[in-house]
Amino acid sequence: MTETTMDRVTALGLRALPHLVLFAALLALWELAVAIGLIESIMIPRPSRIGAAIWELYVTQRTIYFHFAITMTEAVVGFLIGCGVAVTLAVSSSLSETFKRYVAPYAVVLNVTPGIALTPIIIAWFGYGMGSKIALGAVICFFPIFVNTLTGLLKVDEEREELFHSLGTTPFQLFMKLRVPGALPLLFAGMKIGLTTALIGAVVAEFTQATDGVGVLMSRFSFQLNMASSIASLLSMTVIGLILYYSMELLDDRIVFWRREARMTATSRARARAWRRVMGD
Amino acid sequence: MAVAEEITEAGAADAPRRGNVWRRRLLTHLAIFLAIVTLWETGVRAGWLDELFFPRPTDILVSFWRIYISQGNVWYHLYISLGLVLAGFVGGSLLGVGLGAIVGFNPLMRRFLQPYVIVLEATPRIAVAPLLIAILGFGAQSKISIIVLVCFFAPFINTLSGVVNVSPEKLELFRSLGVSKLQTLRKLVLPDAVPVIMAGERLAMTAALTGVLVAEFIQRDVGIGSLILTYTRNLNMASAFACIFTLTIIGFAIFKGMEIADKRIAFWNHEEGRERLSARRRRAFEAKGRA
């Protein structure tokens, strides 16, 4: 067991090695180009400077954690609100044809309007604090989630539906056991887009007017021409994006377990174990 | 023949009824819309809604009149912004499709670029805006480069996946028939990839509009984005709303325009396009037969 794990680690290391070499070579080339003056160092700082700025922000000064938490909270809360409204409206639209008909035009209007254009107005409404960033994130992440959920809920395999009917299911069971599982993969695809979009909303609102957050930090640094720290804050946004994306991916993997073979086997095994325990085996 | 007649008769009988249903629905839509607008108007007049934040619909209409006709100042800003959108979109999508094709056809490059693509995908790309402004200075060139940057990604990814996801079985068939590389590209890769690329272009166009707005929010000089910002700062909310509804109309036009472009360019992916093509071929065939 330990051996196979070791093997896997070695294999992974061997595969990652060329990537790391290339990355190091690129950094060295960049460093050299700045050092001999090929690239202007004020505008595009050396990688070692950026490394130093990251060290400063994360270890010696530790200023970034506060802003990091603010931006991440804004994105997540905005996403949760937008997602809640989107899913509620999508479920209602899938249940009632009339409701869908009268909500659809407004959803389309909201979609074709670039949501970012609302930034100044939302800041005027909700103030300079976190509220406006959350609201902007919620507004712009609404549509992809709404459209994906609705598409998923409406797209039902007719043969399966017939099978459900012939087995005498109630409408509620039909919804929970047929429509919802069918819609989940698309819902998650929408939520992944929505979460990234909510982060964009939070950051843009921070650029426009704010006091705290990674976006503020970054625009302040770049207007001071402290490019190294500015790039370091940009990389922090990438980290936030990666954290959000992969946590959604993890949830997707756990909840929509039937899409991946390995997950499905594991889940069915766990269920079988639980079943056996209940039966007192 | 008899079946065809029956169908047309049934269709003819159905048509007025369907027209009625359609008209009734449109009327209901209009009634709901008018009810919302009236409620809004009375809400503001009665003082339930703060007029500074929720301008009256009639005020928004007056603002439309002012910014388009009596003052006419919006035209200049629209001209600037849409010019930037167009330039950035063309640049970004050319770059994206070109690089996507290069990387897609080159497995080694694909392997080594993948980690960077993943990182780029997770970064809110618009966040590079302040950096680019600092590097390139204020003015049109930094705005265009922001738009190029946000436009670049979707066509790049879609071209890449369109080029890579060629069905291996079909490819094998082509190889076994001894088809040349150029022909494989023309007859197998492009027909499958172009619809995907067009989907990427649609996303890029939306991103371009967002990009120009963010660039203008940060620079605050000219363009529709800075106009919205200025109006909001002056608490002239009616004019700000008029600008936003303008963007809704532009967004809708862009959406429809891209749809039409998609139908024209990737015509084999749409029913009408296929029908048009086969009708043309049939005509050509018949003409040859007569000659």
Side-chain angles (χ1 to χ4, degrees), chain A residues 18-19 23 101-102 105 112-114 116-121 124-125 207-209 218 222 227 230 237-238 241-242, chain B residues 25 28-29 32 53 111-112 116 119 122-123 127 130-131 134-135 209-210 213-214 217 220 229 232-233 244 247-248 251:
Chain A
H19 286 288
F23 186 64
R101 200 176 311 129
Y102 293 113
V112 296
T113 312
I116 291 291
L118 294 171
T119 316
I121 289 182
W125 281 349
F207 285 160
T208 312
Q209 192 68 263
M218 181 182 164
S222 67
M227 300 312 258
S230 178
M237 284 182 203
T238 308
L242 284 174
Chain B
R25 277 188 194 158
T28 326
H29 274 298
I32 291 176
F53 295 128
R111 217 183 89 196
F112 282 103
Y116 303 94
V119 168
T123 316
L131 214 66
I135 292 175
L209 205 54
T210 304
L213 289 172
V214 172
F217 286 157
R220 298 167 195 176
L229 200 65
T232 317
R233 291 268 161 86
I244 284 171
L247 284 171
T248 306

Side-chain angles (χ1 to χ4, degrees), chain A residues 94-117:
Chain A
S94 79
L95 293 178
S96 152
E97 182 67 27
T98 321
F99 187 79
K100 189 179 94 193
R101 200 176 311 129
Y102 293 113
V103 161
Y106 299 96
V108 169
V109 165
L110 189 65
N111 181 37
V112 296
T113 312
I116 291 291

Side-chain angles (χ1 to χ4, degrees), chain A residues 14-255:
Chain A
L14 275 181
R15 251 192 311 146
L17 193 66
H19 286 288
L20 290 178
V21 170
L22 183 76
F23 186 64
L26 279 179
L27 285 188
L29 209 69
W30 180 357
E31 183 88 34
L32 196 73
V34 180
I36 61 174
L38 228 58
I39 302 175
E40 196 159 0
S41 65
I42 301 177
M43 291 312 169
I44 299 175
R46 301 176 194 204
S48 55
R49 276 286 183 72
I50 298 173
I54 292 174
W55 180 263
E56 197 182 343
L57 282 176
Y58 280 88
V59 182
T60 48
Q61 285 188 352
R62 301 193 180 185
T63 43
I64 193 127
Y65 295 107
F66 170 68
H67 299 285
F68 197 102
I70 294 261
T71 303
M72 198 143 147
T73 316
E74 286 163 358
V76 170
V77 176
F79 164 77
L80 287 179
I81 294 173
C83 186
V85 176
V87 171
T88 314
L89 286 184
V91 168
S92 319
S93 307
S94 79
L95 293 178
S96 152
E97 182 67 27
T98 321
F99 187 79
K100 189 179 94 193
R101 200 176 311 129
Y102 293 113
V103 161
Y106 299 96
V108 169
V109 165
L110 189 65
N111 181 37
V112 296
T113 312
I116 291 291
L118 294 171
T119 316
I121 289 182
I122 284 183
I123 289 175
W125 281 349
F126 292 92
Y128 292 168
M130 283 172 82
S132 52
K133 284 85 204 171
I134 290 172
L136 187 64
V139 167
I140 68 174
C141 83
F142 164 80
F143 195 77
I145 302 174
F146 172 74
V147 127
N148 275 30
T149 316
L150 189 57
T151 316
L153 285 172
L154 290 180
K155 177 202 72 175
V156 169
D157 187 7
E158 270 174 37
E159 278 168 26
R160 282 189 200 172
E161 198 175 351
E162 208 165 307
L163 176 68
F164 269 70
H165 279 308
S166 72
L167 290 171
T169 39
T170 62
F172 180 72
Q173 278 176 323
L174 190 76
F175 184 78
M176 290 310 286
K177 300 275 177 188
L178 179 67
R179 283 182 191 269
V180 170
L184 276 179
L186 266 176
L187 170 64
F188 269 101
M191 289 204 293
K192 277 181 212 163
I193 302 173
L195 198 51
T196 325
T197 318
L199 178 61
I200 290 176
V203 170
V204 169
E206 282 176 2
F207 285 160
T208 312
Q209 192 68 263
T211 44
D212 310 305
V214 182
V216 179
L217 209 59
M218 181 182 164
S219 61
R220 245 184 243 154
F221 281 135
S222 67
F223 288 127
Q224 293 162 5
L225 288 182
N226 183 352
M227 300 312 258
S229 303
S230 178
I231 291 175
S233 347
L234 179 67
L235 289 176
S236 311
M237 284 182 203
T238 308
V239 172
I240 297 181
L242 284 174
I243 292 175
L244 294 180
Y245 185 84
Y246 279 104
S247 21
M248 197 40 94
E249 186 105 330
L250 195 73
L251 263 183
D252 185 9
D253 205 45
R254 292 281 144 159
I255 295 176

